[in-house]
Amino acid sequence: MPPEVRADQSAPTDQSVLVEQGLLAGKLVLITGAAQGIGRETALLAAAQGADLILSDRSDLVQETETEAKDIADARGRSLTSATVLGDLETWEGAEHVVSEGTKKLRLPDVCINAVGGTIWAKPYELYEPEKIEAEIRRSLFPTMWMCRAILPEMKSRGTGTIVNVSSIATRGINRVPYSAAKGGVNALTASLAMEAAEAGVRIVATAPGGTEAPERRIPRGPGAQTEEEQGWFREVVEQTTESSLFKRYGTLPEQAWPIVFLASDAASYINGSVLPIGGGDQG
């Protein structure tokens, strides 16, 4: 016989609501990096799947995402409860502010989706200046580490919650070694924190997106490829990413957002500590 399941670790008793009202119906979801890209797409899908939202970014463009999310909810006959919080998640103070201010405006989120990150430069590792290595780590590891540190104690105290980290299959890739190392850290963070938090009823999981087609960024991560040599290094990244995919193409934003929303939902209640590659067969 299986061991008795504690109340705070039990599976959801009625999952029909996931079909009838949406995968995230009744949940308050905090999404970082929500002004553009995967974060924005996930926010809009979460609204369509019944979630209320706390949207965070360091750009006030996140307010446009909130407006779009409200329109999506309205079109489905639902009034969206939402808030936006600006913050620089490369710092502990920024993450602490986002969690405390979001909780103050609404309540403690049921789900935290950490979508801040992304390659700033592309070049062979020996050509990275030390300050650029540090910048890549600050950009793609620390926002997730700080957000987990800021929200986990409250989730554990409440006895329930889900954290979904957005990593990358670039943990095995060329010309982005500092970024690869940062996302490798996100993977390790996810696995280790899941072991620590499970007994308290908190799930921690991650997706690892591959190359993703998206509109041109309205908030650039960096100066972009300036010289012909830099453009060549970036093309190598694109070619390697495409060739590593069994489909030989980039994914789409919806193809990245749907797995995140699934993992955030009670439909994934028995998935914990896992990193799900979303790279068209590239396992990262």
Side-chain angles (χ1 to χ4, degrees):
M1 294 290 292
E4 182 179 353
V5 178
R6 293 214 327 261
D8 62 359
Q9 294 176 303
S10 60
T13 55
D14 181 9
Q15 296 199 1
S16 62
V17 67
L18 302 180
V19 176
E20 296 168 2
Q21 299 181 32
L23 285 173
L24 296 176
K27 294 190 181 295
L28 177 61
V29 180
L30 191 165
I31 303 174
T32 71
Q36 60 185 344
I38 291 174
R40 172 185 170 276
E41 189 74 19
T42 301
L44 300 183
L45 180 58
Q49 289 296 310
D52 291 320
L53 299 173
I54 299 172
L55 303 177
S56 177
D57 204 281
R58 60 184 177 187
S59 167
D60 59 11
L61 288 175
V62 72
Q63 293 165 5
E64 295 183 10
T65 304
E66 181 185 32
T67 299
E68 293 177 84
K70 285 180 179 291
D71 290 344
I72 288 171
D74 287 345
R76 286 160 173 75
R78 183 175 74 88
S79 178
L80 177 74
T81 300
S82 64
T84 61
V85 184
L86 299 182
D88 181 359
L89 300 182
E90 293 182 12
T91 70
W92 160 247
E93 292 78 13
E96 188 178 39
H97 168 73
V98 166
V99 173
S100 63
E101 189 67 15
T103 300
K104 186 185 304 181
K105 287 184 174 183
L106 298 179
R107 60 178 174 84
L108 181 69
D110 302 295
V111 176
C112 176
I113 297 173
N114 293 315
V116 172
T119 306
I120 306 173
W121 297 281
K123 63 177 74 178
Y125 182 56
E126 67 272 16
L127 299 180
Y128 271 88
E129 297 88 343
E131 62 273 15
K132 290 185 177 180
I133 293 173
E134 291 185 1
E136 293 277 11
I137 300 299
R138 285 197 307 272
R139 176 64 175 168
S140 292
L141 175 58
F142 275 100
T144 300
M145 290 193 72
W146 291 140
M147 282 299 297
C148 287
R149 176 62 182 83
I151 202 167
L152 186 59
E154 297 301 324
M155 284 186 167
K156 290 177 73 172
S157 177
R158 185 178 59 187
T160 184
T162 299
I163 297 173
V164 183
N165 297 324
V166 179
S167 180
S168 174
I169 61 166
T171 49
R172 294 178 64 89
I174 62 170
N175 295 348
R176 295 185 289 173
V177 168
Y179 173 71
S180 300
K183 289 303 190 179
V186 170
N187 293 351
L189 173 73
T190 299
S192 296
L193 276 186
M195 295 177 71
E196 288 189 7
E199 188 174 2
V202 179
R203 269 192 324 120
I204 303 172
V205 291
T207 66
T212 304
E213 292 180 353
E216 185 175 350
R217 294 182 62 85
R218 297 173 66 184
I219 313 161
R221 294 193 188 108
Q226 302 293 310
T227 68
E228 186 174 334
E229 185 177 43
E230 289 172 340
Q231 293 170 8
W233 290 330
F234 183 77
R235 283 194 300 271
E236 289 175 357
V237 170
V238 174
E239 290 167 2
Q240 181 257 302
T241 302
T242 304
E243 284 304 307
S244 296
S245 166
L246 301 185
F247 291 131
K248 307 303 179 189
R249 66 170 175 86
Y250 270 30
T252 66
L253 286 171
E255 286 174 323
Q256 300 300 340
W258 271 106
I260 293 171
V261 167
F262 165 71
L263 286 177
S265 77
D266 289 342
S269 59
Y270 200 55
I271 301 174
N272 200 9
S274 300
V275 179
L276 178 64
I278 315 296
D282 184 351
Q283 300 301 302

Coordinates of all heavy atoms in Angstrom, one line a residue, residues 208-256:
A208 N 12.9 24.8 -20.5 CA 14.2 25.2 -21.2 C 13.9 25.5 -22.6 O 14.0 24.6 -23.5 CB 15.2 24.2 -21.0
P209 N 13.5 26.8 -23.0 CA 13.2 27.1 -24.3 C 14.4 27.0 -25.3 O 15.5 27.3 -24.9 CB 12.7 28.6 -24.3 CG 12.3 28.7 -22.8 CD 13.2 27.9 -22.0
G210 N 14.1 26.6 -26.5 CA 15.1 26.7 -27.5 C 15.0 28.0 -28.3 O 14.4 29.0 -27.8
G211 N 15.6 28.1 -29.5 CA 15.5 29.3 -30.2 C 14.0 29.7 -30.5 O 13.2 28.8 -30.8
T212 N 13.6 30.9 -30.4 CA 12.2 31.3 -30.4 C 12.0 32.5 -31.3 O 12.7 33.5 -31.1 CB 11.7 31.6 -29.0 OG1 11.9 30.5 -28.2 CG2 10.2 31.9 -29.1
E213 N 11.1 32.4 -32.3 CA 10.8 33.5 -33.2 C 10.0 34.5 -32.4 O 9.0 34.1 -31.7 CB 10.0 33.1 -34.4 CG 10.8 32.2 -35.3 CD 10.0 31.8 -36.5 OE1 8.7 32.0 -36.5 OE2 10.5 31.2 -37.5
A214 N 10.3 35.8 -32.4 CA 9.6 36.8 -31.7 C 9.8 38.1 -32.4 O 10.7 38.3 -33.1 CB 10.2 36.9 -30.2
P215 N 8.8 39.0 -32.2 CA 9.0 40.4 -32.8 C 10.3 41.0 -32.3 O 10.8 40.6 -31.2 CB 7.8 41.1 -32.2 CG 6.8 40.1 -31.9 CD 7.6 38.9 -31.4
E216 N 10.8 42.0 -33.0 CA 12.0 42.7 -32.6 C 11.8 43.3 -31.2 O 10.7 43.9 -30.9 CB 12.3 43.8 -33.6 CG 13.6 44.6 -33.3 CD 13.9 45.6 -34.4 OE1 13.3 45.6 -35.4 OE2 14.9 46.4 -34.1
R217 N 12.8 43.1 -30.4 CA 12.6 43.6 -29.0 C 12.5 45.1 -28.9 O 13.3 45.9 -29.5 CB 13.9 43.2 -28.2 CG 14.0 41.7 -28.0 CD 15.2 41.3 -27.1 NE 15.1 41.9 -25.8 CZ 14.5 41.3 -24.8 NH1 13.9 40.1 -24.9 NH2 14.4 41.9 -23.6
R218 N 11.5 45.6 -28.2 CA 11.3 47.0 -27.9 C 12.3 47.5 -26.9 O 12.5 48.7 -26.8 CB 9.9 47.3 -27.5 CG 8.9 46.9 -28.6 CD 7.5 47.0 -28.1 NE 7.1 48.4 -27.8 CZ 5.9 48.7 -27.3 NH1 5.0 47.8 -27.0 NH2 5.6 50.0 -27.1
I219 N 12.8 46.6 -26.1 CA 13.8 47.0 -25.0 C 15.0 46.1 -25.3 O 15.1 44.9 -24.9 CB 13.3 46.7 -23.6 CG1 11.8 47.2 -23.5 CG2 14.2 47.3 -22.6 CD1 11.1 46.6 -22.3
P220 N 16.0 46.6 -26.0 CA 17.2 45.8 -26.4 C 17.9 45.3 -25.2 O 18.0 46.0 -24.2 CB 18.0 46.7 -27.3 CG 17.1 47.8 -27.7 CD 16.1 47.9 -26.6
R221 N 18.5 44.1 -25.2 CA 19.3 43.6 -24.1 C 20.7 44.2 -24.2 O 21.3 44.3 -23.1 CB 19.4 42.1 -24.2 CG 18.2 41.3 -24.0 CD 18.5 39.8 -23.8 NE 17.2 39.0 -23.8 CZ 16.9 38.2 -24.8 NH1 17.6 38.1 -25.8 NH2 15.8 37.5 -24.7
G222 N 21.1 44.5 -25.4 CA 22.5 45.1 -25.5 C 22.6 45.8 -26.8 O 21.6 46.0 -27.6
P223 N 23.8 46.2 -27.2 CA 24.0 46.9 -28.5 C 23.8 46.1 -29.7 O 23.7 46.7 -30.8 CB 25.4 47.4 -28.4 CG 26.1 46.4 -27.5 CD 25.1 45.9 -26.5
G224 N 23.7 44.8 -29.6 CA 23.6 44.0 -30.8 C 24.9 43.8 -31.5 O 25.9 44.4 -31.2
A225 N 24.9 43.0 -32.6 CA 26.1 42.8 -33.4 C 26.4 44.0 -34.2 O 25.6 44.5 -35.0 CB 25.9 41.6 -34.3
Q226 N 27.6 44.6 -33.9 CA 28.0 45.8 -34.6 C 28.9 45.6 -35.8 O 28.7 46.2 -36.8 CB 28.8 46.7 -33.6 CG 27.9 47.0 -32.3 CD 26.8 47.9 -32.6 OE1 26.9 49.0 -33.3 NE2 25.6 47.5 -32.1
T227 N 29.8 44.7 -35.7 CA 30.8 44.4 -36.8 C 30.4 43.2 -37.6 O 29.6 42.4 -37.1 CB 32.2 44.2 -36.2 OG1 32.2 43.0 -35.5 CG2 32.6 45.4 -35.3
E228 N 31.0 43.0 -38.7 CA 30.8 41.8 -39.5 C 31.2 40.6 -38.8 O 30.5 39.5 -38.9 CB 31.5 41.9 -40.9 CG 31.2 40.8 -41.8 CD 31.9 41.0 -43.2 OE1 32.2 42.2 -43.5 OE2 32.1 40.0 -43.9
E229 N 32.2 40.6 -38.0 CA 32.7 39.5 -37.2 C 31.6 39.1 -36.2 O 31.3 37.9 -36.0 CB 34.0 39.8 -36.6 CG 34.6 38.6 -35.8 CD 36.0 38.9 -35.3 OE1 36.2 40.0 -34.7 OE2 36.9 38.0 -35.4
E230 N 31.1 40.1 -35.5 CA 30.1 39.9 -34.5 C 28.8 39.3 -35.1 O 28.2 38.4 -34.5 CB 29.8 41.2 -33.7 CG 30.9 41.6 -32.8 CD 30.6 43.0 -32.2 OE1 29.8 43.8 -32.8 OE2 31.2 43.4 -31.2
Q231 N 28.4 39.8 -36.3 CA 27.3 39.3 -37.0 C 27.5 37.8 -37.3 O 26.6 37.0 -37.3 CB 27.0 40.1 -38.2 CG 26.5 41.5 -37.9 CD 26.5 42.4 -39.1 OE1 26.7 41.9 -40.3 NE2 26.3 43.7 -38.9
G232 N 28.7 37.4 -37.7 CA 29.1 36.1 -38.0 C 28.9 35.1 -36.8 O 28.4 34.0 -36.9
W233 N 29.4 35.6 -35.6 CA 29.2 34.8 -34.4 C 27.8 34.6 -34.1 O 27.4 33.5 -33.7 CB 29.9 35.5 -33.2 CG 31.4 35.5 -33.3 CD1 32.2 34.6 -33.9 CD2 32.3 36.6 -32.8 NE1 33.5 35.0 -33.8 CE2 33.6 36.1 -33.2 CE3 32.1 37.8 -32.2 CZ2 34.7 36.9 -32.8 CZ3 33.2 38.5 -31.8 CH2 34.5 38.1 -32.1
F234 N 26.9 35.6 -34.3 CA 25.5 35.5 -34.0 C 24.9 34.5 -35.0 O 24.1 33.7 -34.6 CB 24.8 36.8 -34.1 CG 23.3 36.7 -33.8 CD1 22.9 36.6 -32.5 CD2 22.4 36.7 -34.8 CE1 21.6 36.6 -32.1 CE2 21.0 36.7 -34.5 CZ 20.6 36.6 -33.2
R235 N 25.3 34.5 -36.3 CA 24.8 33.6 -37.3 C 25.1 32.2 -36.9 O 24.3 31.2 -37.1 CB 25.3 33.9 -38.7 CG 24.6 35.1 -39.4 CD 24.9 35.1 -40.8 NE 26.4 35.3 -41.1 CZ 27.0 36.4 -41.2 NH1 26.3 37.6 -41.1 NH2 28.3 36.5 -41.4
E236 N 26.3 32.0 -36.3 CA 26.7 30.6 -35.9 C 25.8 30.1 -34.8 O 25.5 28.9 -34.7 CB 28.2 30.7 -35.4 CG 29.2 30.8 -36.4 CD 30.6 31.0 -35.9 OE1 30.8 31.0 -34.7 OE2 31.6 31.1 -36.7
V237 N 25.4 31.0 -33.9 CA 24.4 30.6 -32.8 C 23.1 30.2 -33.5 O 22.6 29.1 -33.1 CB 24.2 31.8 -31.9 CG1 23.0 31.5 -30.9 CG2 25.4 32.1 -31.1
V238 N 22.6 31.0 -34.4 CA 21.4 30.6 -35.1 C 21.5 29.3 -35.8 O 20.6 28.4 -35.7 CB 20.9 31.7 -36.0 CG1 19.7 31.3 -36.8 CG2 20.7 33.1 -35.3
E239 N 22.5 29.1 -36.5 CA 22.7 27.8 -37.3 C 22.8 26.6 -36.3 O 22.2 25.6 -36.6 CB 24.0 27.9 -38.1 CG 23.8 28.9 -39.3 CD 25.1 29.3 -40.0 OE1 26.2 28.7 -39.5 OE2 25.1 30.1 -40.9
Q240 N 23.6 26.8 -35.2 CA 23.7 25.7 -34.3 C 22.4 25.4 -33.6 O 22.0 24.2 -33.5 CB 24.8 26.0 -33.2 CG 25.0 24.9 -32.2 CD 24.3 25.2 -30.9 OE1 24.6 26.2 -30.3 NE2 23.5 24.3 -30.5
T241 N 21.6 26.4 -33.3 CA 20.4 26.2 -32.6 C 19.4 25.5 -33.5 O 18.6 24.6 -33.1 CB 19.8 27.6 -32.1 OG1 20.7 28.2 -31.3 CG2 18.5 27.4 -31.4
T242 N 19.3 26.0 -34.8 CA 18.4 25.4 -35.8 C 18.8 23.9 -36.1 O 17.9 23.0 -36.1 CB 18.4 26.2 -37.1 OG1 18.1 27.5 -36.8 CG2 17.4 25.6 -38.1
E243 N 20.1 23.7 -36.2 CA 20.5 22.3 -36.5 C 20.3 21.4 -35.4 O 20.1 20.2 -35.6 CB 22.0 22.3 -36.9 CG 22.3 22.8 -38.3 CD 21.5 22.0 -39.4 OE1 21.6 20.8 -39.4 OE2 20.7 22.6 -40.2
S244 N 20.3 21.9 -34.2 CA 20.2 21.0 -33.0 C 18.7 20.6 -32.8 O 18.4 19.7 -32.1 CB 20.7 21.7 -31.7 OG 22.0 21.9 -31.8
S245 N 17.8 21.4 -33.4 CA 16.4 21.1 -33.3 C 16.0 20.0 -34.3 O 16.5 20.1 -35.5 CB 15.5 22.3 -33.6 OG 14.2 21.9 -33.8
L246 N 15.3 19.0 -33.9 CA 14.9 17.9 -34.9 C 14.0 18.5 -36.0 O 13.9 17.9 -37.1 CB 14.2 16.8 -34.1 CG 15.0 16.1 -33.0 CD1 14.2 14.9 -32.5 CD2 16.4 15.6 -33.5
F247 N 13.3 19.6 -35.7 CA 12.4 20.2 -36.7 C 13.2 21.2 -37.6 O 12.6 21.7 -38.5 CB 11.3 20.9 -36.0 CG 10.3 20.0 -35.3 CD1 9.9 20.3 -34.0 CD2 9.7 18.9 -35.9 CE1 9.0 19.4 -33.3 CE2 8.8 18.1 -35.3 CZ 8.5 18.4 -34.0
K248 N 14.4 21.5 -37.2 CA 15.3 22.4 -38.0 C 14.6 23.8 -38.2 O 14.7 24.4 -39.2 CB 15.5 21.8 -39.4 CG 16.1 20.4 -39.4 CD 17.4 20.3 -38.6 CE 17.9 18.9 -38.6 NZ 19.0 18.7 -37.6
R249 N 14.0 24.2 -37.1 CA 13.4 25.6 -37.1 C 13.4 26.1 -35.7 O 13.6 25.4 -34.7 CB 12.0 25.5 -37.6 CG 11.0 24.8 -36.7 CD 9.6 25.0 -37.2 NE 8.6 24.2 -36.5 CZ 8.0 24.6 -35.3 NH1 8.4 25.7 -34.8 NH2 7.1 23.8 -34.7
Y250 N 13.1 27.4 -35.6 CA 12.9 28.0 -34.3 C 11.4 27.7 -33.8 O 10.6 27.4 -34.7 CB 13.1 29.5 -34.3 CG 14.5 30.0 -34.0 CD1 15.6 29.2 -34.3 CD2 14.7 31.2 -33.5 CE1 16.9 29.6 -34.0 CE2 16.0 31.7 -33.2 CZ 17.1 30.9 -33.5 OH 18.3 31.3 -33.2
G251 N 11.2 27.8 -32.5 CA 9.8 27.7 -32.0 C 9.1 29.0 -32.1 O 9.7 30.0 -32.5
T252 N 7.9 29.0 -31.7 CA 7.0 30.2 -31.7 C 6.8 30.6 -30.2 O 7.0 29.8 -29.3 CB 5.7 30.0 -32.4 OG1 4.9 29.0 -31.6 CG2 5.9 29.5 -33.8
L253 N 6.4 31.8 -30.0 CA 6.0 32.2 -28.7 C 4.9 31.4 -28.0 O 5.1 31.0 -26.9 CB 5.7 33.7 -28.6 CG 6.9 34.7 -28.8 CD1 6.4 36.1 -29.0 CD2 7.8 34.6 -27.6
P254 N 3.8 31.1 -28.7 CA 2.9 30.2 -28.1 C 3.4 28.8 -27.8 O 3.0 28.2 -26.8 CB 1.8 30.1 -29.2 CG 1.9 31.4 -29.9 CD 3.3 31.7 -30.0
E255 N 4.3 28.3 -28.6 CA 4.9 27.0 -28.3 C 5.8 27.0 -27.0 O 6.0 26.0 -26.4 CB 5.8 26.5 -29.5 CG 4.9 26.0 -30.7 CD 5.8 25.7 -31.9 OE1 6.8 26.4 -32.2 OE2 5.4 24.7 -32.6
Q256 N 6.2 28.2 -26.6 CA 6.9 28.3 -25.4 C 6.0 28.6 -24.2 O 6.2 28.1 -23.1 CB 8.0 29.4 -25.5 CG 9.1 29.2 -26.5 CD 9.9 28.0 -26.3 OE1 9.9 27.4 -25.2 NE2 10.5 27.5 -27.4

